Amino acid sequence: DAGVTQSPTHLIKTRGQQVTLRCSPKSGHDTVSWYQQALGQGPQFIFQYYEEEERQRGNFPDRFSGHQFPNYSSELNVNALLLGDSALYLCASSPPPIRETQYFGPGTRLLVL
Amino acid sequence: KNEVEQSPQNLTAQEGEFITINCSYSVGISALHWLQQHPGGGIVSLFMLSSGKKKHGRLIATINIQEKHSSLHITASHPRDSAVYICAVRWETSGSRLTFGEGTQLTVNP
């Protein structure tokens, strides 16, 4: 059983560009949460999806958007990239019905130049 | 001000030492997680606590709900324990989203 997978592993973009990160949850999990982790900091919650809808959102601008597909996989999109968007982006999935435990993927490291 | 505070920020120990990492939080929680992050970035969940104490191998986690405080202990530490240890909480009012502390960088020297 594969765990949570994320792609790509690393990505370099320039300011103003747009980026899409992908996450496949662990088998049987229907909920996907996205976190941003700046260097030397703890992860910050971006948003959470289940049943193909954004259910909760952290304090991130509208440049950060997402999507969940019928197979529960998810995308994180960031528009108009800023240097400060450089971070490790982590995806975590949770199983129904309680969704208490989160299983983390390896992350996508984004560098914005 | 981060609502989840960890101490110390950095910790260096000699192999075999007993290690304690502390976490305090500001308001009511439904659960507290201890997580381990290795240099590659992947995060592994160690414990989820809502009361009392849990033990897994050389790791022990305790929580005091009244004092809003949790500790992670590592007995007989080993260089392979070197990692960042992160405390994360699920607030009573925030559903399943997690709020993380800034992590404790642990280095265990042989």
Side-chain angles (χ1 to χ4, degrees):
Chain A
D1 172 31
V4 180
T5 59
Q6 290 186 243
S7 64
T9 55
H10 295 82
L11 201 51
I12 299 175
K13 291 285 189 179
T14 56
R15 278 179 298 174
Q17 285 189 310
Q18 179 265 343
V19 68
T20 297
L21 310 181
R22 295 176 177 83
C23 172
S24 290
K26 195 172 163 63
S27 177
H29 291 193
D30 66 351
T31 300
V32 173
S33 303
W34 286 93
Y35 296 89
Q36 180 196 64
Q37 186 177 24
L39 198 62
Q41 305 288 318
Q44 299 285 322
F45 175 77
I46 303 175
F47 43 52
Q48 183 183 78
Y49 279 83
Y50 65 90
E51 295 182 349
E52 300 179 52
E53 288 192 20
E54 183 182 293
R55 298 295 178 171
Q56 289 187 293
R57 189 179 183 93
N59 190 24
F60 279 80
D62 291 345
R63 299 187 296 110
F64 289 76
S65 63
H67 189 77
Q68 187 178 36
F69 299 94
N71 67 353
Y72 308 123
S73 66
S74 177
E75 288 181 349
L76 163 65
N77 300 292
V78 187
N79 294 322
L81 284 166
L82 303 174
L83 296 180
D85 295 331
S86 296
L88 179 69
Y89 288 85
L90 293 159
C91 162
S93 72
S94 307
I98 302 172
R99 304 180 178 88
E100 282 184 338
T101 302
Q102 297 195 13
Y103 295 79
F104 286 84
T108 294
R109 197 165 294 279
L110 172 65
L111 177 62
V112 182
L113 301 176
Chain B
K1 182 181 182 295
N2 200 328
E3 297 165 88
V4 180
E5 303 231 346
Q6 281 187 241
S7 63
Q9 195 171 6
N10 292 282
L11 182 56
T12 300
Q14 289 301 121
E15 185 172 355
E17 285 186 1
F18 181 84
I19 287 162
T20 296
I21 299 170
N22 297 299
C23 175
S24 59
Y25 50 91
S26 51
V27 294
I29 64 170
S30 55
L32 182 143
H33 299 250
W34 281 103
L35 307 150
Q36 181 191 57
Q37 186 172 33
H38 282 281
I43 290 179
V44 174
S45 180
L46 300 174
F47 296 104
M48 182 175 67
L49 294 162
S50 54
S51 64
K53 176 179 174 178
K54 287 190 176 179
K55 184 177 190 293
H56 182 71
R58 296 180 294 106
L59 301 178
I60 303 165
T62 63
I63 188 167
N64 185 318
I65 296 295
Q66 287 73 30
E67 294 187 3
K68 297 184 176 59
H69 180 269
S70 176
S71 294
L72 176 68
H73 305 286
I74 304 176
T75 62
S77 60
H78 190 276
R80 65 174 174 265
D81 297 326
S82 298
V84 175
Y85 292 84
I86 306 174
C87 166
V89 303
R90 200 151 33 88
W91 308 110
E92 284 175 340
T93 56
S94 68
S96 59
R97 63 181 282 185
L98 294 176
T99 299
F100 292 77
E102 296 202 347
T104 295
Q105 173 68 62
L106 171 66
T107 302
V108 181
N109 294 317

